Amino acid sequence: MVVAYGRPFAQSRGQVAPPFNWNMVPELELEPEEMRLHERLLTYRNKLHAHSDSDFTSMGLEIWRTPLPDGEFHDFLAVRGGESLNFEENEVDQIHRMLWKIRHHVDTALQTHPASRDGLPVIAIG
């Protein structure tokens, strides 16, 4: 979800559409809390989920020692750590509400966009 959310805001090779900017949906106003969440999502996308950044990942080695029936031990070298869950349940609800708010405004802005609709597929609904 974090990677998909960040795609319109990221530069990429072989870009299909122009980069998104907030001016494309002038009626959309994010609350300060939503804007902080937006920035956090982009940070997690760029430093944790789409790429690896040591500031967001804690990994190391440890030994798992298992006793054997003969009184000896077997040591198993294991990797510990990795990426952690970064959102509380209430934050996931907040993300969901913000996504629908943004989607609504983007859909509304598209309806009045002057781009040609020639050649676009037509999907019959109902």
Side-chain angles (χ1 to χ4, degrees), residues 46-48 51-59 82:
N46 294 333
K47 294 189 174 268
L48 179 61
H51 310 283
S52 295
D53 188 312
S54 62
D55 292 342
F56 287 84
T57 305
S58 174
M59 294 182 73

Side-chain angles (χ1 to χ4, degrees), residues 13-119:
R13 295 183 302 267
Q15 201 152 332
V16 176
F20 177 83
N21 71 58
W22 295 114
N23 295 333
M24 294 173 161
V25 275
E27 300 298 318
L28 174 61
E29 291 185 33
L30 293 182
E31 301 294 327
E33 186 175 310
E34 292 171 323
M35 199 60 190
R36 284 191 297 276
L37 183 57
H38 165 78
E39 294 298 330
R40 189 169 161 209
L41 284 163
L42 294 184
T43 297
Y44 285 173
R45 181 227 180 252
N46 294 333
K47 294 189 174 268
L48 179 61
H49 297 292
H51 310 283
S52 295
D53 188 312
S54 62
D55 292 342
F56 287 84
T57 305
S58 174
M59 294 182 73
L61 296 174
E62 60 190 15
I63 296 173
W64 295 353
R65 180 162 287 158
T66 306
L68 300 174
D70 63 2
E72 296 292 320
F73 292 93
H74 174 75
D75 288 346
F76 179 81
L77 187 60
V79 176
R80 119 185 104 61
E83 298 172 357
S84 60
L85 181 62
N86 295 295
F87 297 102
E88 301 292 329
E89 186 176 351
N90 66 323
E91 292 175 307
V92 173
D93 291 339
Q94 184 183 10
I95 292 167
H96 183 78
R97 286 190 306 275
M98 184 179 76
L99 288 175
W100 278 105
K101 178 180 179 177
I102 293 170
R103 175 67 188 258
H104 167 75
H105 284 83
V106 167
D107 287 346
T108 301
L110 277 174
Q111 301 314 305
T112 59
H113 195 277
S116 170
R117 281 135 169 87
D118 295 339

